[in-house]
Amino acid sequence: MAITPHLSPKPRVLVVGGGYGGYHVAKRLQKKIRDRGGIVTVVDPNSYLTYQPFLPEVVGGSIEARHALVDLRSHLRHSEVIQGKVVEIKHAGKTATIEGPEGMTFDLPYQDVVVTAGADSRVFPIEGLGEAGIGLKRIEEAVSLRNQILERIESAALMTDADERRRAMTFVVVGGGFAGAELIGEIEDLVRTAISKNPRLAQSDARVVLIEAMGRIMPEVTEEQAEAVVEEFRARGIEVLLNTSLSSAVDNHLKLVNMSDQSDAGSFYADTLVWTAGVAANKLAKSTDFPVEERGRIEVTPTLQVSDGQGGVAEGAWAAGDVAAVPDLTGDGPGGFCVPNAQHAGRQAARLAENLMAVRFGEGAVEEYYHKSLGTVAGMGVGKGVGNPLGIELSGVAAWLGHRFYHNYAMPSLERSSRVLGGWINEIIFGKDTTQVKELETPHNAFREAAGLERLPNRMDVKKEASDA
């Protein structure tokens, strides 16, 4: 249904995506554009930014879910915020088609467009994966995963069937990059703590597995550091399966393949399967009239202007972050492009905002984006971590503290970073919170029962019915 909503008629800088890059672009531009008679409009399906580096800690319970979010309306007060999805960009006519929450669509004119739509999970065509797995790109996934883990532990404590209990207590992460390594560490911490509080369970009841198709994990750190992390994981009881790939997940029966010779690498059942095996550019990139490279990212120049495909730039079009193929002028990036992470997205946003003001209003000079990585740090449970900030190799508590310091600093807004810090302090004082919030998928069931109606099945009920069948 086409509508014409009441929106500002002022010349518009349209920011597509309210994630880390889009938020920082809007934050830097909103007052400057307003003072020159225009308006910054941010369009995102959510009314908040998700700080994705904190998602593993949301799963682990170190951070309250809401504190990993930044409300766009509260922190972009001088911008126009639209909760909706950009489904098409026609830059030739400088309009974007927006789909609202209830399916209504409308065309939004703009003067300049900034595409910072981020990335989606890169999912391979593995049979059963879509039904059995869950990703870790959204806050809803992190909250659901946390509660599923705790629910499976509580249910397993009352199971008498050994196979059913083993399946419930098996937790698997596919993908050994930073996200997967951080997540598996947080899951092991959470599982171990929850079991310690339940006398009907033993630590040996749990099976925590990390599956990685390559011969090593965490390509962002040195090989020696990656090997040390694997040794530490195994010392914590985490199974690390290298050179191993998932070939099927039908009915949560995970079948594995040895990547060296494509031989059978065994199989087992697991109720909890998390997919963190990489990211892919947002599909929106292919719904524009901008040139897109082979990995589905919008082609941009080092000044973060969208390429016109003929050696020039598309006037009034910009892109940054995971959705853009940004040249890495340091020469360090794989394939010659910047890696998709928050460190680059935030810095690209700052350079893009300055360049847009230079091109549109002649203020300042247009400069190329150049940033040599400061290194990386990862937290893998309380007091555990690895990293190489500024070329200094860290591990254990030092890396864990470095991870928390950097990401708390990078978290947008003092208000949000203060809430996160408060949660960390509470965890140190009072210990890990293992409270489970039940029935998130079916919150109406209690009322339905009171009204004499049947309960609605949740995700685990559906899985159990499929398994029994």
Side-chain angles (χ1 to χ4, degrees):
M1 178 178 66
I3 63 170
T4 305
H6 179 68
L7 297 169
S8 174
K10 296 178 180 179
R12 175 176 286 107
V13 175
L14 174 61
V15 179
V16 181
Y20 200 69
Y23 172 88
H24 281 289
V25 168
K27 189 75 172 177
R28 287 176 173 271
L29 286 178
Q30 57 181 356
K31 290 184 180 179
K32 296 177 180 179
I33 297 298
R34 180 201 61 184
D35 293 345
R36 289 155 184 79
I39 190 167
V40 172
T41 300
V42 180
V43 181
D44 193 278
N46 301 309
S47 61
Y48 51 80
L49 171 162
T50 300
Y51 190 66
Q52 292 182 355
F54 279 158
L55 292 183
E57 292 196 60
V58 171
V59 174
S62 299
I63 296 176
E64 162 65 36
R66 289 178 297 110
H67 298 168
L69 308 176
V70 178
D71 181 64
L72 298 179
R73 296 190 188 279
S74 297
H75 296 279
L76 296 178
R77 295 183 180 276
H78 305 286
S79 296
E80 182 179 54
V81 177
I82 298 175
Q83 186 174 349
K85 181 180 180 181
V86 176
V87 295
E88 186 178 24
I89 297 175
K90 298 178 181 177
H91 191 64
K94 290 201 170 182
T95 61
T97 302
I98 316 294
E99 182 181 300
E102 296 186 359
M104 72 285 284
T105 61
F106 59 93
D107 290 335
L108 189 66
Y110 61 80
Q111 185 177 58
D112 295 275
V113 64
V114 179
V115 185
T116 58
D120 299 321
S121 294
R122 182 182 61 175
V123 181
F124 300 143
I126 298 172
E127 190 176 10
L129 177 59
E131 294 80 11
I134 186 171
L136 195 69
K137 294 290 293 178
R138 297 168 57 84
I139 194 69
E140 295 86 355
E141 291 175 321
V143 172
S144 178
L145 175 58
R146 170 179 169 79
N147 284 294
Q148 177 174 318
I149 291 169
L150 294 172
E151 184 277 329
R152 289 288 81 195
I153 292 173
E154 288 295 328
S155 294
L158 299 175
M159 292 176 182
T160 56
D161 183 275
D163 291 337
E164 187 179 5
R165 184 184 179 112
R166 189 177 302 112
R167 168 175 172 158
M169 291 292 287
T170 300
F171 309 96
V172 180
V173 174
V174 179
F178 248 48
E182 289 186 317
L183 178 61
I184 202 73
E186 291 288 346
I187 288 177
E188 189 275 332
D189 254 9
L190 177 64
V191 169
R192 177 167 36 81
T193 304
I195 290 176
S196 71
K197 297 178 181 181
N198 195 319
R200 292 189 297 275
L201 294 171
Q203 297 294 341
S204 58
D205 291 326
R207 184 181 184 188
V208 183
V209 185
L210 177 64
I211 299 173
E212 170 53 48
M214 305 299 290
R216 58 163 292 183
I217 66 171
M218 305 179 75
E220 300 89 344
V221 299
T222 67
E223 189 166 354
E224 291 77 14
Q225 285 181 300
E227 290 173 353
V229 171
V230 170
E231 290 179 8
E232 189 217 330
F233 278 167
R234 288 172 173 162
R236 292 166 63 180
I238 299 172
E239 296 179 41
V240 182
L241 307 180
L242 301 176
N243 291 309
T244 305
S245 178
L246 180 68
S247 63
S248 175
V250 175
D251 294 334
N252 287 81
H253 185 208
L254 310 189
K255 297 180 180 180
L256 307 180
V257 148
N258 187 310
M259 295 299 291
S260 299
D261 56 12
Q262 297 301 304
S263 62
D264 180 10
S267 66
F268 56 88
Y269 283 93
D271 279 342
T272 303
L273 170 64
V274 194
W275 183 266
T276 64
V279 297
N282 193 296
K283 295 179 180 63
L284 169 66
K286 295 182 179 179
S287 296
T288 71
D289 48 5
F290 299 136
V292 176
E293 46 90 74
E294 59 184 12
R295 295 186 61 183
R297 299 173 297 183
I298 296 173
E299 294 182 7
V300 300
T301 67
T303 58
L304 304 170
Q305 293 169 279
V306 174
S307 169
D308 65 1
Q310 300 175 355
V313 298
E315 189 273 328
W318 308 79
D322 298 359
V323 76
V326 180
D328 188 344
L329 301 184
T330 69
D332 295 335
F337 297 102
C338 295
V339 296
N341 61 25
Q343 186 180 139
H344 275 304
R347 286 173 168 80
Q348 288 169 11
R351 173 43 47 205
L352 190 156
E354 294 296 323
N355 284 352
L356 189 150
M357 292 300 297
V359 170
R360 178 58 60 191
F361 301 103
E363 299 180 6
V366 177
E367 297 182 15
E368 296 181 336
Y369 173 72
Y370 180 96
H371 173 67
K372 193 167 184 64
S373 175
L374 301 177
T376 53
V377 283
M380 293 170 287
V382 177
K384 310 170 190 76
V386 66
N388 50 17
L390 302 176
I392 303 171
E393 294 190 8
L394 300 177
S395 61
V397 175
W400 175 69
L401 288 173
H403 167 265
R404 290 201 159 183
F405 173 82
Y406 172 76
H407 284 295
N408 194 247
Y409 166 78
M411 181 67 176
S413 89
L414 176 61
E415 175 258 339
R416 244 27 189 183
S417 61
S418 296
R419 292 181 189 273
V420 170
L421 181 60
W424 285 338
I425 292 172
N426 285 334
E427 182 182 50
I428 292 172
I429 296 174
F430 301 110
K432 185 174 288 293
D433 186 348
T434 55
T435 305
Q436 174 201 355
V437 180
K438 298 178 61 178
E439 303 263 0
L440 284 178
E441 296 178 47
T442 53
H444 297 95
N445 273 343
F447 192 77
R448 288 178 64 86
E449 285 185 320
L453 301 175
E454 291 185 3
R455 292 172 59 87
L456 299 172
N458 59 33
R459 191 165 179 254
M460 293 310 303
D461 293 333
V462 172
K463 283 186 177 182
K464 188 175 188 307
E465 289 175 6
S467 177
D468 291 343

